[in-house]
Amino acid sequence: MRIGILTGGGDCPGLNAVIRAVAKSLILDADAEVIGFEEGFLGMIEKKYRELTYRDVSGILTTGGTILGTHNRANPFSYYGADGADVSDQVAENYRELGLDGVVVIGGDGTMTIAHRLGEKGIRTVGVPKTIDNDLMHTDRTFGFDTAVSIATDALDRLQTTGQSHSRVMILETMGRYAGWIALHSGIAGGADVILLPEIPFDVEEVARVCRQRSRKQRFTIIVIGEGAKPIGGDLVVRERVEDADDPVRLGGVGHYLAAELQDRIESEVRTTVLGHIQRGGSPTAFDRILATNFGIFAADLVRKGRFGRMVALKDGTMSSIELEKVADQTRFVEVDSLMVRAALAVGTSLGDQGLTVEIEESEVNLTL
Ligand code: F6P
């Protein structure tokens, strides 16, 4: 058996842990030959790859990034050759020439969409859900998310020092694209006073009210805001547009927008920190190492069993898999009435909308939702 592996989209803590688990498991259990494509789908387009031996994938469990490199502008369906046609047929030919029995693709929604479309060209793929954003459908967790939440939580703890010392309003802008998972989970873990999510448009007056109220007693306020959050009736704050990228919209700046709006309404000084790529860097947490390893082993198992066209998933604490086509072109948002949202409200955290109320049923125990 000869299997390829690639990492697509942005880097993410745990990528190397998955590469290691897939390769080791296939080498040990199926005596497979494993090759790693370099720079995501660009490696499949340009036949840039290298053999991955057991030794090559040893000692990489704890390292951030990806030993294979990655690329988020190499979609074979929007990458054109000299003849003007997209290179997806070329990729299929390369796959056959390399004598591959399948490819494990590790990536986010864009990568899963490409994997699904390559399946229609005869390329057999198994997907592994990666993204710090945790926004892939049909899995309760993507690896990388726990690390990002832990970094954002640490940032909130540190911002509290300045907030308390200077009686300021401290805003932390997190990543997460159009979903508020990182902001919500780090906000709860870091005890933020206000959590603003893309899923719940915020009322600036309500946020200002919380800041004023807190300035009278506690004297400082901690706000966490997801980069995709927007005010009621307002628009997303876009940092830049990149025409040839898979996602042409780069979000960023809503934290500064909010600071300017608040500063006109309150007396306390307001400061903003945009956490940026720090959330994606460095070593994965123990949870992400464990999750990535299990995803990798499960993906290798799907390969051995010939169950292609599927993405591994974690559902209600159990490893499972789902058809790639059900994941492609989808985003998993925070549900406004989920237990996590209600937990935040129940401890007095504002979600920027005074109309939101809570009720928690005893039977609700799933902390991943
Ligand atoms: O999808 C992961 C992510 O880090 C998002 O949270 C963020 O919006 C985006 O990627 C940033 O992309 P880039 O690294 O291309 O700037």
Side-chain angles (χ1 to χ4, degrees), residues 55-72:
R55 209 162 160 183
D56 291 328
V57 295
S58 293
I60 63 170
L61 171 66
T62 63
T63 56
T66 160
I67 58 163
L68 295 175
T70 187
H71 208 295
N72 47 15

Side-chain angles (χ1 to χ4, degrees), residues 10-11 72 130-133 135 175-177 182 227 239 249-251 277 280:
D11 64 282
N72 47 15
K130 163 235 77 164
T131 168
I132 62 163
D133 305 337
D135 63 352
M175 282 186 165
R177 296 200 304 175
I182 301 177
E227 62 182 355
R239 181 163 46 90
V249 174
R250 283 202 189 132
L251 297 173
H277 292 84
R280 285 186 359 202

Side-chain angles (χ1 to χ4, degrees), residues 169-221:
V169 172
M170 303 301 286
I171 299 175
L172 178 72
E173 179 183 310
T174 61
M175 282 186 165
R177 296 200 304 175
Y178 309 103
W181 296 101
I182 301 177
L184 178 60
H185 283 236
S186 63
I188 290 175
D193 308 302
V194 180
I195 302 176
L196 303 176
L197 311 175
E199 292 85 350
I200 305 172
F202 60 88
D203 176 358
V204 180
E205 292 299 340
E206 159 64 4
V207 181
R209 183 194 65 76
V210 174
C211 296
R212 277 193 296 267
Q213 191 182 52
R214 283 190 55 89
S215 79
R216 286 193 288 273
K217 286 192 186 156
Q218 297 89 344
R219 308 191 62 79
F220 74 100
T221 305

